[in-house]
Amino acid sequence: MFQGAHELRAQRQATSSRPVPKVSFEFFPPSTPAIEETLWKSVARLKTLAPEFVSVTYGADGSTRDNTHRVIKALGEQTAIPTMPHLTCVDASRSEVDEVADSYWKMGVKSIMALRGDPASGAGSVYTPKPDGYHYAADLVAGLKRQHDFRIGVAAYPETHPEAPSAHFDIDNLKRKFDAGADFAISQFFFSTEAYLRFRDRCVLAGIDKPIIPGILPVTNFNTLKRFAGACGTDLPKWLSDSFEGLDNDAETRQLIAANIAIEQVLALQNEGVNDFHFYTLNRAELCYAVCHSLGIRPAVEMV
């Protein structure tokens, strides 16, 4: 018992000596009044943690274009948080995409998450570039850089994009995006720290020297997680499924487990020199706020 208490104190002391991580948050545009209310409540709570930026998704098939623009505009008017809208190549001409990007720049938005996006017919369908559009994310990055001096983020896949023929091809594609002018990447969510670290090493060997921010997904519904993971190629280790087994009707315990997993994941990555993290909030503040609090992030002076 005394040895256990000693180890716990040592762990707390080690944690307290760590640098406070830098964090950012992702939200998605609301599709109903109830989701809209949840979104703005979450923004109100998480903005007190002074995130580096918040991103707003675009709908992989470009389906939420106007709604994303509206949320970004409202964030700029109601908060001082730097914003980063997602922008995709799907189902839009170059002139249409350039017009959206230009409107963001005039709005004061200086960062964009540049993505290819999923096929307009839905994830799993064959992607066909629009003839008069940007064909792939690297093309979009180059076009955005020609238009304005945006700070551009792109996507990275530690466990390989599901459409990539190989991990080597996937890293080459990521390098093309950096060579086109991308400033940093945000990874797809993952649960294997080793997978991210091996990916980071392979990127360095490929000549990539820009930041690759790990994406962290604290989620309590394992069935939902399986659907997300299946769409993006993320492996779900057995220990993870075991952690949620038998808890379908116990939301409180699921939340505690989800927070603990995310905290452990961040601490393990900090041990490897990582100190920037991007949280996929699913428009909910509770879990991300709890994780950040445990990591030493405290509310700053209220941002207006």
Side-chain angles (χ1 to χ4, degrees):
M1 181 172 65
F2 291 107
Q3 178 65 26
H6 174 76
E7 289 174 351
L8 180 59
R9 283 195 297 272
Q11 184 180 22
R12 287 174 175 168
Q13 289 169 359
T15 301
S16 66
S17 67
R18 296 174 188 270
V20 176
K22 297 178 181 179
V23 297
S24 54
F25 302 112
E26 179 183 285
F27 300 102
F28 61 83
S31 56
T32 68
I35 297 175
E36 178 105 19
E37 182 179 0
T38 299
L39 166 66
W40 293 111
K41 284 182 178 178
S42 297
V43 168
R45 190 168 195 201
L46 292 174
K47 74 176 183 179
T48 66
L49 301 180
E52 298 296 301
F53 62 88
V54 297
S55 67
V56 180
T57 65
Y58 194 65
D61 60 358
S63 59
T64 64
R65 185 177 305 154
D66 293 340
N67 221 3
T68 299
H69 196 278
R70 177 181 66 82
V71 171
I72 288 290
K73 186 173 186 293
L75 282 167
E77 293 171 347
Q78 299 174 24
T79 79
I81 310 171
T83 56
M84 184 177 70
H86 289 206
L87 192 57
T88 73
C89 304
V90 173
D91 204 28
S93 67
R94 290 191 179 209
S95 61
E96 288 171 330
V97 173
D98 289 349
E99 183 179 349
V100 172
D102 191 52
S103 69
Y104 280 136
W105 185 265
K106 291 175 181 176
M107 195 188 294
V109 174
K110 306 303 181 185
S111 299
I112 285 181
M113 186 73 177
L115 306 166
R116 188 204 74 178
D118 285 336
S121 53
S125 304
V126 176
Y127 173 75
T128 303
K130 191 174 175 66
D132 60 346
Y134 291 108
H135 288 189
Y136 295 98
D139 306 316
L140 176 56
V141 170
L144 291 171
K145 282 292 189 181
R146 284 193 299 268
Q147 193 172 359
H148 295 291
D149 188 23
F150 285 110
R151 181 171 179 262
I152 298 178
V154 294
Y157 291 80
E159 295 169 295
T160 306
H161 191 286
E163 294 179 31
S166 68
H168 180 75
F169 178 94
D170 201 31
I171 289 178
D172 281 349
N173 186 54
L174 178 60
K175 189 173 188 303
R176 282 192 287 273
K177 291 186 278 189
F178 280 120
D179 290 344
D183 298 284
F184 64 99
I186 296 175
S187 87
Q188 184 55 265
F189 69 89
F190 57 91
F191 295 96
S192 168
T193 301
E194 285 301 314
Y196 170 84
L197 295 174
R198 288 195 301 268
F199 173 74
R200 186 180 66 171
D201 290 345
R202 292 197 303 271
C203 287
V204 171
L205 290 174
I208 295 172
D209 60 359
K210 298 291 180 67
I212 301 175
I213 301 171
I216 307 296
L217 176 62
V219 64
T220 61
N221 188 318
F222 193 73
N223 289 327
T224 299
L225 178 60
K226 285 192 291 186
R227 187 172 72 250
F228 289 166
C232 64
T234 296
D235 179 59
L236 300 182
K238 186 176 184 302
W239 64 259
L240 186 64
S241 60
D242 289 345
S243 297
F244 289 99
E245 187 177 359
L247 296 176
D248 291 350
N249 299 315
D250 190 346
E252 183 177 355
T253 302
R254 292 202 311 269
Q255 284 229 334
L256 292 171
I257 289 172
N260 186 62
I261 289 171
I263 292 165
E264 289 184 352
Q265 190 173 18
V266 170
L267 293 177
L269 289 166
Q270 281 192 301
N271 284 339
E272 300 294 336
V274 180
N275 205 49
D276 290 80
F277 301 91
H278 187 67
F279 286 90
Y280 298 108
T281 70
L282 304 183
N283 284 11
R284 307 287 307 197
E286 300 91 342
L287 270 177
C288 291
Y289 191 94
V291 171
C292 288
H293 182 88
S294 180
L295 296 170
I297 303 170
R298 299 291 187 269
V301 175
E302 182 71 15
M303 301 178 76
V304 296

